[in-house]
Every structure is written in C-alpha cells, then in structure tokens.
Amino acid sequence: MFSRQRLFWLHQPYDLEGSDPDFLRAVRDNCAFHMARCPEYRAIADHIGFSPEQIQTIVDLARLPVLPTLFYKRHAVFSMPRWRMAMRVTSSGTSGRFSQVGFDWGCLLAEVPMVLRLGWRHGLISPRPAHNVILGYQPHRQNKTGVTRTMFGLTWFAPPISRTYALRYGDGGYVPDLDHVAKALEKLGSSRFPTRIIGFPSYLWFGLKRMEELGLRAQLPKGSRILLAGGWKQHYAQQVEKPVLYGLAGRILGIQEANINEFFGAVEHPIFFNACKEHHFHIPVYSRVIIRDVNTLEPLPMGKVGLINLISPLLRATPATSVMTDDLGYLTPGEECGCGLRSPYLTILGRVGLAEIQTCAAGAAELLGKGEMP
C-alpha cells in the first residue's frame, strides 16, 4: 500500500540499481490499482495478456501496457472519481488537443520529497529571497495546464519577493507583454536580491531578443538563475543551439551558463528531471526510460535512437504507468557524462508525428468503446 511513498522518499535520487526493488514493487502495486478500478485500462491489459505479477525484473517493464500521449489527448480515463482527486491538470494543447490527468493526494505527498531532494541535489534551493520573472502564464482558476502549475512551483525554491509574468490574465484572456518583462528585468538589475527567470527556452530567446531590440541590458545580481522548462514546441522553426541562447543570456543579463538549469517532464509523466552541470538529463530513481524502435516498438539498446517510453508509478488517479511520448531520443551510460552521476542520461532529439503513434493510439481506443473526449 505504501510502496509508492517508500520509492519517492529514497535518499539517493540517482541510485537506480539500489532502487530497483522498490521501483518494481511500486509499479506492480500501481498496475494492480488501475486494473481494479479502471475498466478501460484493464481491457487493454487483458488484451495483451498482462498481469502485474509479470513485473519481476527491470527488463520486464517492457511488458507493461503502453499508452501513447496521443491517447490521453483523445480519451479521458481515470481510476478514481473526481471527488477523490486533489486536482486535474491538462497539457499545453499545442497540437490542438490536450491531455487531462488527475492527481491524487498520495501523488502530491510523493512529489514533495522528490522535488525537494532533487532541488537540493542540483543547488536550486536557497534561503536567500529572490525576484521571479516567469516567461509563461499567470496562474488563474481558468488555467488548468500543468506547465503553469510547474512554473509557479519553481518560484518557491527561494523565498519569492515578487512575480512578474510575460502572459498576464485580464478581460477574460491572456495578454502577452514582452516589453513589460524586458523593462522589469532592466530594473531588477539594480536590486540587491537575485532574480530567477523561469520559462520555455523559446520564450527566453524571444524576450532576450526583444531586450536587444530595445537596447536594454541588465547585470542581474549574484545568485540570479535561469530555469528552463520544456522544449521549443510550436516554435521549433526558430530554435537555436544552446550555446547561442546561453551566450545571449550572458550578454544581456549577465547570467552565465553555470547558472542556467534545465528541466524535463510531461503532464502524463510528472517526474522532475533535472539537467546536470553538463546539461544531461540523468534518470532519477522515480522513473525508468525505455527507447523503442519506431517500426516494431521493441526495446532498443543504449545509444540507439527511438521513441521515448516513460515509466513511473507516481499517478493513481490516471492510468499512466507506462507512457509513450512522440519524442525521439536515446540513452547513454552515466559514466560517459563526466558530472559524477552514474545513472544513464536521456538525450531528446525532438518531437515527431509518426503514423506508428497514431496506430498505437487507435488500437488502444478500439478496446475501450468509451472515454472519448469531444
């Protein structure tokens, strides 16, 4: 019953080998929970002949029922009633559809030690108050997106003095105002407290370019950081290489590469992936990653490029134990990084729109017969 809590309270966040028994136990319990309470998930599991007892080794994780993120964008499936959930969040919906994912109270209690332990491990937690500039949406009751929740949560790694948003809510909708952010950053250069800039890399790029156009510069105080969450999404055509982005941040804001942190996650897989000092996403104990062949969906060895399959026993309100993303990537042994972490790290090459994912989602949908979202 408490296998999930035991896993998420482990003291060594990157000791994958040492955490394997706890991870496997939590996954078995998680699958049993969803199969008992979600008819749609049980139908899929029965169709492939899956039972939780089959998960005895890490290799067995490949046998889990895999649901693609596209499936969650087309179906609302849950393993508990709404009144038992702590909250529902959605994906950003950049493709026109969005996922709905439920968070139970036990999930939130498990997330807290994970976030604190990884935040401490990567030097993000500070007792010194800081201003926050969020290159994203201002929280509002109408906004249920997971990324808004995540960015607001990141402001609590240091006691927040202020929050300035690039997208402010007013008159029933969001209004972008990069000029407001640019001028706020220039003003914060004279503060005696550091500033933390939080947002997508694309928004950071557009904001820095706007400051450059306006002729604005800011030498932000010592201890200032940039926290980048997510990828370039619909702005992939304007994507620039990291050295170019980091170089511009140094020239415009005085924040050097060592103080730029990156995160990776998904609303269907809300695990707090932090990049190391070499900018690699090492896999934490709360997750496991399988790279699958694009054509056969069979697991691939280290170094081979394929679809990224994310596994975690965190969620109980939504059956998302094993999720297939529409991202391509590959795994590399941790020893090759040089940062000191021995956990393998994930390299994400970019998002794709593949027929195989569409087919996988459609196949799962045929087994359900209900749950279709409008």
Side-chain angles (χ1 to χ4, degrees), residues 192-226:
R192 61 191 181 93
F193 292 102
T195 294
R196 293 193 167 200
I197 301 169
I198 303 166
F200 290 113
S202 55
Y203 291 3
L204 176 64
W205 174 252
F206 299 144
L208 293 174
K209 294 298 288 184
R210 183 56 181 160
M211 289 187 71
E212 194 173 47
E213 290 172 6
L214 296 172
L216 301 178
R217 293 285 192 280
Q219 189 67 34
L220 294 176
K222 183 179 180 180
S224 294
R225 285 182 173 273
I226 296 175

Side-chain angles (χ1 to χ4, degrees), residues 156-185:
W156 290 100
F157 276 131
I161 301 172
S162 66
R163 296 183 179 93
T164 301
Y165 289 91
L167 293 161
R168 292 179 290 174
Y169 194 87
D171 297 326
Y174 281 98
V175 179
D177 194 348
L178 281 180
D179 286 5
H180 172 71
V181 168
K183 293 171 183 176
L185 284 169

Side-chain angles (χ1 to χ4, degrees), residues 106-262:
C107 165
L108 299 186
L109 291 174
E111 275 192 314
V112 170
M114 170 185 67
V115 171
L116 291 178
R117 190 157 285 119
L118 287 172
W120 184 264
R121 176 66 178 77
H122 291 273
L124 301 177
I125 297 176
S126 171
R128 189 181 181 192
H131 296 282
N132 293 273
V133 174
I134 298 94
L135 304 176
Y137 293 98
Q138 181 181 17
H140 188 271
R141 63 179 179 274
Q142 300 291 340
N143 188 329
K144 306 294 185 183
T145 59
V147 68
T148 301
R149 169 180 174 263
T150 298
M151 289 185 182
F152 179 79
L154 290 174
T155 66
W156 290 100
F157 276 131
I161 301 172
S162 66
R163 296 183 179 93
T164 301
Y165 289 91
L167 293 161
R168 292 179 290 174
Y169 194 87
D171 297 326
Y174 281 98
V175 179
D177 194 348
L178 281 180
D179 286 5
H180 172 71
V181 168
K183 293 171 183 176
L185 284 169
E186 182 189 38
K187 188 175 181 180
L188 289 171
S190 60
S191 173
R192 61 191 181 93
F193 292 102
T195 294
R196 293 193 167 200
I197 301 169
I198 303 166
F200 290 113
S202 55
Y203 291 3
L204 176 64
W205 174 252
F206 299 144
L208 293 174
K209 294 298 288 184
R210 183 56 181 160
M211 289 187 71
E212 194 173 47
E213 290 172 6
L214 296 172
L216 301 178
R217 293 285 192 280
Q219 189 67 34
L220 294 176
K222 183 179 180 180
S224 294
R225 285 182 173 273
I226 296 175
L227 311 179
L228 298 177
W232 287 71
K233 294 185 179 291
Q234 71 267 40
H235 302 295
Y236 67 92
Q238 291 113 319
Q239 183 171 349
V240 298
E241 297 296 325
K242 290 180 182 180
V244 176
L245 177 61
Y246 298 163
L248 187 60
R251 293 194 302 275
I252 301 295
L253 302 174
I255 297 180
Q256 303 307 313
E257 182 175 339
N259 290 316
I260 299 177
N261 298 84
E262 302 161 79

